[in-house]
Amino acid sequence: AVVSTQSTGTRIKEAVHNSGMFEGGFPVVVVSSLVSSVAITMTMTPFDVIATRMFNQKHGTLYTGWVDCVRKMYQIEGARGFYKGTIAHYFRIGPHTILTLVIWDRYRKWFL
């Protein structure tokens, strides 16, 4: 997960820097970290929802496997069902992502 966080952060940092909205430095790092945390949360939430539903069921009573879980979720709730709890997930993943990317950027600047 750390590698995907760093690669996403690097790509978004380049895009923010190239947009010309900021001249560079720490503001670019903070803004790109915020955007990255949202992108990572939106990517991870469906997998988190599926895993949570699979673990919370009593042994095979609702779903026969993860594919069955995805199919039933989509049939009953539509695509929005995969994003239940996104805000709570962001409050769990967002700060970690932001701190990881800011600390990694500072570390690279000072030590590498």
Side-chain angles (χ1 to χ4, degrees):
V2 173
V3 173
S4 64
T5 300
Q6 290 173 347
S7 63
T8 302
T10 301
R11 296 269 183 178
I12 292 176
K13 182 180 170 187
E14 290 170 1
V16 168
H17 181 70
N18 292 338
S19 72
M21 293 175 60
F22 301 96
E23 292 183 18
F26 196 67
V28 171
V29 175
V30 172
V31 169
S32 63
S33 297
L34 287 166
V35 173
S36 296
S37 67
V38 171
I40 290 168
T41 301
M42 295 305 289
T43 303
M44 290 180 62
T45 297
F47 298 104
D48 192 55
V49 170
I50 293 165
T52 300
R53 289 185 183 208
M54 292 295 296
F55 282 113
N56 286 340
Q57 73 172 337
K58 293 186 181 180
H59 189 67
T61 55
L62 296 174
Y63 312 110
T64 58
W66 69 270
V67 175
D68 185 46
C69 180
V70 169
R71 185 178 52 78
K72 286 179 180 176
M73 280 178 57
Y74 187 75
Q75 285 177 344
I76 295 168
E77 302 171 57
R80 292 179 65 179
F82 293 97
Y83 289 95
K84 284 190 173 183
T86 300
I87 293 171
H89 196 219
Y90 179 79
F91 283 122
R92 183 172 56 118
I93 299 293
H96 174 267
T97 302
I98 293 166
L99 287 173
T100 299
L101 293 173
V102 169
I103 291 169
W104 175 247
D105 185 77
R106 296 293 99 180
Y107 177 82
R108 284 181 49 198
K109 182 176 182 175
W110 293 331
F111 298 112
L112 298 180

